[in-house]
Amino acid sequence: MDSKGHNNYWSALYTKDNYYKHFILNSKNGDIFHLKGNGYSVTGDTLLYIVAKGIHLFKTNAIYRDIDLKGTDSYPDDTLMIHKVTKGNILLAMEDGRERRLNTGDILNAASNFKMSRYHSFNKEVELVGVTFYYKYIMDAIKNQALNQSFLEEFYNNKLLHDVFIHQGNHKINKLFDEIENAINNDNRILMKAKSLELLSESALFYKDFIGLGYENLSEKKKRLFDNIKEFLDNNLDQYYSMEYIGDKFSISVSGLKKLFNEACGISPYIYHLNRRLEKAAKLLEESDYKINYIYKSVGFNFHSNFSNAFQKKYKCTPSQYRERENKI
């Protein structure tokens, strides 16, 4: 599909009688589409940018009220969506009967085999920002980019991220979302494309590090258990939890808990949770003026020395050095 055909496709898709009658095409300026929620089911605005063939970036504050999506295809085949909830809470109901709630700060990685049956916003103010990639164009898009192309080719060939994966990312991924949002606000197309491709690369690395290919080999029952435990750990970064506590909470033995995490992502639940707590600390060091004594307590450490040792092991510098370095960037 050439550039002209690509644009015509989107112009045809976003009309009142298509796209499930939830949006109308309010205006089009080159590769920018302004969509308006139309009616009670969806209200609000969406800006869609076609930053390259196969890379579509969007920002929306649209409010959804129990939209029934069953039996529809919201995206063509072979797509990957990486979306972040920057404000509000959203409930996704899947066609297999599972429900997942996305809170502020949560990131959804979902491939085209992810089928929603229902979509609901809990708040009157909801904001999302994200990128949709089309697999057939990804390899063209990453050529001549200053990225780890060999890894992206592995990601493409093995179809990494071809699953529903809800997480809170790491410091680098969240920073990329901030940069993407700033690029949208400043209408910087070059930066939109560059940061979108970086997000793709970092998300694939994050997925491989924290979920790993072993996750795909788990039974559906084990996947659900792992997802639930990981979601609990991601949402509770303010204190340390013993393996005994987690095992009791989710009715699994300590040995079974460790085995589950090792099978899914190659690290123990303790190391997984420690990494997430340290990433939160790094974000606070960069984005706040809180004293370090406050920060280490807010991520579940009782002593400064323990926090500093763990932080240096992960980031190769002290918390004070990290704050000074990041503030200079």
Side-chain angles (χ1 to χ4, degrees), residues 78-324:
D78 266 349
T79 56
L80 168 67
M81 298 155 276
I82 307 178
H83 300 172
K84 181 176 180 179
V85 181
T86 55
K87 183 185 288 187
N89 309 87
I90 297 166
L91 180 70
L92 304 179
M94 305 178 205
E95 288 192 349
D96 63 5
R98 296 169 60 195
E99 290 186 349
R100 296 297 297 269
R101 177 167 175 154
L102 276 72
N103 300 311
T104 302
D106 282 346
I107 298 167
L108 169 69
N109 288 64
S112 53
N113 60 354
F114 167 60
K115 302 299 181 185
M116 289 185 291
S117 61
R118 194 164 293 278
Y119 192 120
H120 175 75
S121 304
F122 288 94
N123 312 85
K124 290 184 177 180
E125 293 187 7
V126 175
E127 292 181 2
L128 289 88
V129 63
V131 188
T132 299
F133 301 92
Y134 293 75
Y135 276 99
K136 64 187 294 185
Y137 299 114
I138 283 177
M139 293 313 298
D140 289 335
I142 68 174
K143 286 179 181 176
N144 302 318
Q145 297 296 314
L147 297 171
N148 185 344
Q149 187 163 333
S150 63
F151 178 77
L152 283 173
E153 288 175 357
E154 178 190 349
F155 149 80
Y156 178 84
N157 292 329
N158 292 311
K159 294 195 173 181
L160 293 178
L161 301 173
H162 261 212
D163 199 0
V164 180
F165 178 35
I166 296 173
H167 59 98
Q168 292 186 334
N170 55 25
H171 181 62
K172 191 163 186 177
I173 288 174
N174 281 290
K175 192 170 184 178
L176 282 168
F177 269 109
D178 290 340
E179 291 171 332
I180 287 171
E181 192 164 8
N182 287 335
I184 293 173
N185 294 336
N186 293 309
D187 194 23
N188 187 331
R189 309 296 185 77
I190 295 174
L191 196 60
M192 285 184 205
K193 179 181 178 181
K195 294 304 175 181
S196 295
L197 287 167
E198 283 187 51
L199 179 65
L200 173 65
S201 181
E202 288 300 322
S203 296
L205 285 167
F206 180 84
Y207 182 90
K208 191 170 184 179
D209 287 344
F210 286 89
I211 295 297
L213 296 178
Y215 178 83
E216 298 300 326
N217 298 323
L218 295 179
S219 67
E220 289 303 315
K221 182 178 180 181
K222 281 188 174 182
K223 282 183 181 179
R224 284 193 294 271
L225 178 58
F226 175 77
D227 288 343
N228 289 336
I229 296 172
K230 189 174 73 66
E231 184 174 21
F232 169 78
L233 294 175
D234 287 343
N235 291 334
N236 293 279
L237 302 177
D238 58 345
Q239 60 181 302
Y240 160 78
Y241 292 95
S242 70
M243 297 302 98
E244 290 77 13
Y245 176 88
I246 298 171
D248 288 343
K249 181 175 179 62
F250 291 95
S251 301
I252 183 174
S253 67
V254 171
S255 61
L257 175 64
K258 292 179 179 178
K259 182 179 179 181
L260 176 64
F261 266 72
N262 280 324
E263 286 179 354
C265 57
I267 57 177
S268 70
Y270 166 76
I271 294 298
Y272 175 82
H273 196 223
L274 175 63
N275 284 335
R276 297 291 292 114
R277 288 157 57 208
L278 291 171
E279 287 162 7
K280 179 182 177 182
K283 186 175 182 180
L284 289 171
L285 285 167
E286 181 180 348
E287 298 180 358
S288 77
D289 294 325
Y290 293 135
K291 293 182 178 180
I292 292 176
N293 283 351
Y294 171 84
I295 290 175
Y296 78 73
K297 291 176 182 177
S298 71
V299 293
F301 286 86
N302 293 323
F303 302 102
H304 182 278
S305 59
N306 292 346
F307 169 66
S308 184
N309 289 337
F311 193 92
Q312 287 186 68
K313 188 173 181 179
K314 180 173 175 64
Y315 291 100
K316 313 304 180 187
C317 64
T318 67
S320 297
Q321 289 168 339
Y322 181 89
R323 169 171 271 172
E324 183 179 359

Side-chain angles (χ1 to χ4, degrees), residues 24-39:
I24 60 171
L25 178 62
N26 190 53
S27 65
K28 176 179 177 290
N29 181 14
D31 288 336
I32 306 176
F33 296 82
H34 178 210
L35 313 171
K36 294 283 289 184
N38 182 40

